[in-house]
Amino acid sequence: MQGLIQVAGIIDRAEADMIVEEGADWLGFALRLPAGNEDLSEKDAAAIVEAIQPRNKGVIITYLTDADEIRSFCADLGVGAIQLHGDVSPAELRRLRTMAPDLYVLKSLVVKADNIDELAEVVDHSAEWVDMFITDSFNPATGAKGATGLVHDWDVSAELVRLSPKPLMLAGGLNPENIAEAVEKVRPAAVDAHTGLEDATGRKDRIKVRTFVREARGAFTRMAETDQGVVG
């Protein structure tokens, strides 16, 4: 799972095809959001997921918190992975793991000004029931937890990488210009970009996606070489 690249906020089949062509691994579909401002319908998302899998993975990004609803939603869309940004309790995560043991579960860790202790507690209480954590940025002006375009304190994410027994995906304001530095500083297992790859119209820009993937791959390669050197 090391070195995985996800592009989130897919809006249609043409965008999905372009992102796959440019080398991203996972595609994230934001659905059943609190504000109801999804970029595409669930029917369209399911069709795209069917088209890109199994070579690439479709991931639902949602604020659902009930294990039964989460399992049913994933089955309906034909996805094998879900990114949970809601306040899902460890009990519900445990239920979800029991009901859907093959479902790949990512749990968000939303970085705020001074909440490292709170996030470390979430990791401690829920790591057994998830496959990967994802750190993302909080926007105090809007209350948004992700897709903010804001960079959070990477030192917090780096500390969570060290604390977590599960891999960590880094998100939050990542773009082609800062991704190499982000990987070097945080040393995550995976990265995710959304608004940092969009043009003025809100669509993903091919050159930005291509550059992001290239820079991320290069940074992951250098990280692996450094780790091998340390081990050797």
Side-chain angles (χ1 to χ4, degrees), residues 29 31 40-51 76-79:
F29 300 84
L31 297 167
L40 77 174
S41 69
E42 294 177 12
K43 180 180 178 181
D44 288 344
I48 296 171
V49 168
E50 183 178 12
D76 289 344
L77 266 70
V79 301

Side-chain angles (χ1 to χ4, degrees), residues 68-84:
D68 294 286
E69 188 175 2
I70 292 167
R71 180 188 62 170
S72 177
F73 191 30
C74 289
D76 289 344
L77 266 70
V79 301
I82 190 157
Q83 186 172 312
L84 300 171

Side-chain angles (χ1 to χ4, degrees), residues 7-9 15 18-19 194 197-198 202-206 209:
V7 175
E15 184 169 277
M18 180 272 288
I19 291 168
H194 183 170
L197 303 182
E198 293 176 349
R203 294 189 66 86
K204 303 296 185 300
D205 178 87
R206 182 180 288 273
V209 174

